[in-house]
Amino acid sequence: MTKRTQPDRAPGMQIGSRRTFLAAALTVTGLALLAPSPASAQAYPEPGKRFTIIVAGSAGSGTDINARFVAAAMEKEFPGTSFQVVNRPGAGVQVGVQALADAPKDGYTFGLISLPTAITVMLDPSRKANFNKESFIGIGNFSYDAGAIAVRADSPYKSLGDLIAAAKEKPAERTVGVVGPRGREHLDVIAMEQGAGVSFTPVFHNDSGLALNTLLGGNIDAVQGSVGDFVAQVKSGRVRILAVFDKQESAYAPGVPTAESQGFKIYSGTSRGFAFPAGVDPKMAARIGETLGKIANSPEYKSKFAEMGLEIRYMDAAQYNTYWNGEVARISSLLSKIN
Amino acid sequence: MTSSLYDFIVGFGIALTPENLLYALIGCLVGTLVGVLPGIGSAGGMVILLPLTYKLDPTGAIIMLAAIFYGSYYGGTISTVLMSVPGEVASVVTMLDGTEMARKGRAGAALSIAAIGSFIGGTAAVLALVFIAPLLTDVALKFGPPEFFALLFIGLATLALLAGDSMLRALAMAVFGLLLGTIGTDPTMGTPRFDLGFTNLLGGLDFVPVVMGLFGLSEILLAADGPPPTLREAKLSSLYPTKQDMKDSAGPIARGTVLGFFLGLVPGTTQALASFISYGVEKAVSRRPWTFGTGAIEGVAGPETANNSHANAALIPLFTLGIPGSPSVAILLGAFIMNGLAPGPLLFSEKPEIVWPIIASMIIGNLMLLILNVPLIGLWVRILKVPLGILNPLIILFICLGTYLVNNAVFDVWVMLLFGLIGVVLRKLEFPLAPIALTLIIGPLMEGALRQALSISRGNVDILFRSPLACILLICGVIVLTVPLWSRRARARGQLGKDATD
Amino acid sequence: MADPMDVQTAAHPPIGTARGLALALFRLVALAFALLGLWVMWQARDLVYYTPVGPGPGFFPMWLGGVLGLLSLAILGASLLGRSPALPERILPERTPAIQMGVTFAAIAFFALAVERAGFVITMFLVLIVLMLMNRVRPLTALLVALGGSVGVAWVFVQWLGVFLPTTPFGLLSAIGL
């Protein structure tokens, strides 16, 4: 029993260890007090238990919407259990991801991880993040919002090539709205700059909605975001997506060519996957991971996904791990070239 | 336009079905409660109740959530006036005159006027959403970073007008608030600033813990000391406003409606900003500016109208552009998406059967809130009869709970406690607190807007004077800033410089 | 810079010790703000001051710190020249209110320390009962209000509204889902 509560501590988790110890101590005492506790992986999840899903974003945010959807579906898959979403916003995703790394390792707490957002936090030394990839057991990816770049419908730029050419002609004069400095959207712009040997001026906004407002008002040339940010605006004819940064076209933006097909091999997007804190019994993690796959592939939810504008892209634990490693490499390489 | 009128009437029919009426009523009641409970604001309340709406059908869910949203601004006044603890960040400025009115036994009048003003402001904004929303879309788009910066400059300038005879201390506190606003990650380079090693500070200081500490907790700590607050002893002269009150409030309500409305159209502004600017405007145009801070009803009517008008008007960019204008509206946007509705210009044509009932229910909801609030004032005022020995611990309960629930973080409780202590010291020593709240709200927005503008112009300051709109707003700001120099009336002693409850 | 504690040099002599103490505290706080301003400027030196596209992270802190320092020194100076606000005669609370303030403060600190360890219900119950007994509420009333404020509030939030509140450890209250 104590084996499970002694996590294989990931490197760089020293500060969390006091809380971890306390949690472990509490769990041990709790288990000792509560007579025989058959918390083996066979009887997992026990009926009547409550799961906690930590979300590093506030209620109503994109990550939150994904997590709540999965929580409701999981409750159906495991009758008798409940799945409680706990929002831990703060410092981008850092507070929430840290909370997940420090969470109890009893198999009843897991969380949503947004990549590559969490990776940029891990790789930024100034943020002093106390977690890394080894702090988590990824169980699978759920949804994926492909990166995209959009301009006003009346913009002279008809393709990504047009915009890049304009940037080449007048270095740093073309402005692109992005969310935060070194956030995913900003890194996409940096990837374009590095790939095409041009320079843009990024204009930072606190959220993608305000960046869109700046774009629609004609103050900036383009906004780098995700397909999901632009769908409503495209439908209303105010905005044109120049490129989708994915291997294939997006179902939500039919007819928009990929960046790759326009000669820019950039693949980027915001993924929403789930992970347990490292130290959890791998069998438990696998069990929830399987169920996640079942939900993601279930025809039952298909129309609901479309209604919510979610692009489901399930990856099992192994695929998720590969994707995660790939993103770490991609982001590290981008960051190494700007400093 | 006629077709939208037709849809609107059909929507009214749907909104009037018993179950949708019930959702609106529950939303209004919960919203009022969320507003009354110190520490739990509109955003907090909606975050808390968002999961609940899962179980409802989309129309009902959003009707309820929207009612919580606009209802909370009615409720916020109640705790502000009766308990001297702001129920909402947007009600902080109401403390200046609201608590003074209560102290004079005019709590009932303050609450009625606030409810009436809120109703007028809220309903006018919804009606504008129904009839002229498409014409207003461009207003939001006219506000690029330079214009937004100029708008915030007016907000900041009201401070100078209000500082009055304690100008030095008011300015010092304003700068202190601005400095608090720089805590976190800098908006263009992502450099951590003054995080003191706390991860929780990387995202900046949250308003709720700061405001609850400065204004709420400090009030309770100070209540232990000194004479019992006179407001508990004063007889309630009347629950309802006099004819003179109504006459005095007509102007502030009208101006508050227009002001809140236009600010609501600009994404990025908040209700608190609207109420602060409204207070400044009322003081500037008042014939008796010296009564402000001693229980002037205009100081309650204007801001309370403006924040409701703003709340409802902020839905216009949401519905017409799909852009959420304030944090609370962003939560509402989340609720729309979860229910499979992406707000935006097409929502009206794609899902008229959902959008119009929601809008219609907002008119019904505002009416419900008026009906709920005015007759119930007698009931609310009985809060004053609860012994302080019980009431204060309960207020502490809700401040702690609300502060914790904002981010589910104990860290915020510590921040609240620290600012409670700062609040006690500053109040005792006659340092004004209101400027801190104003600049903490404006500062980060202003820095963000300025740096966006300069990024666009690549460092050229000319961009700030680029458009006629920006110039007009900047000139307005300069006028406001220099009012004390040329107007003897306005020079008459100011109140923002004076302590909120002294 | 004059020693702020040196009240005797003030333009208007202290009227009784309490008034003098208030004035001294006032000046001390002004000095503290001045020092805060200086500290901020000092910290801002490490931040980028200006970039090709406008002010850097250090620009506003540098100026704001400086302005805060100057304003605070002006307040201090004005006070030393005899222009201070009308401060309350008695600045420090008497013994009983001081204890009450201290207990209230400590109770909230206890809440912050304990809520994620002992759960919301137990923590809030203890906070409420202590505060009410301190306020001389009758024990039975205090008990009932404390139960309502802890178990009652938690029940409404957790069971009815589906909100997360830290649960009580060891499953002590698992029977009622808290």
Side-chain angles (χ1 to χ4, degrees), chain A residues 253-276:
Chain A
V256 175
T258 61
E260 183 188 18
S261 71
Q262 302 181 55
F264 304 95
K265 289 197 173 167
I266 303 168
Y267 313 98
S268 171
T270 302
S271 69
R272 269 101 197 215
F274 290 85
F276 277 91

Side-chain angles (χ1 to χ4, degrees), chain C residues 51-63:
Chain C
T51 69
V53 288
F59 181 84
F60 286 103
M62 183 62 83
W63 281 94

Side-chain angles (χ1 to χ4, degrees), chain C residues 86-110:
Chain C
L87 294 169
E89 296 230 335
R90 191 172 51 76
I91 196 82
L92 291 184
E94 278 164 20
R95 198 159 163 263
T96 325
I99 292 173
Q100 285 187 333
M101 287 167 85
V103 171
T104 307
F105 201 78
I108 297 174
F110 169 75

Side-chain angles (χ1 to χ4, degrees), chain B residues 117-138:
Chain B
S118 298
F119 171 74
I120 293 174
T123 313
V126 181
L127 288 175
L129 170 60
V130 174
F131 295 107
I132 52 170
L135 306 177
L136 296 168
T137 312
D138 285 347

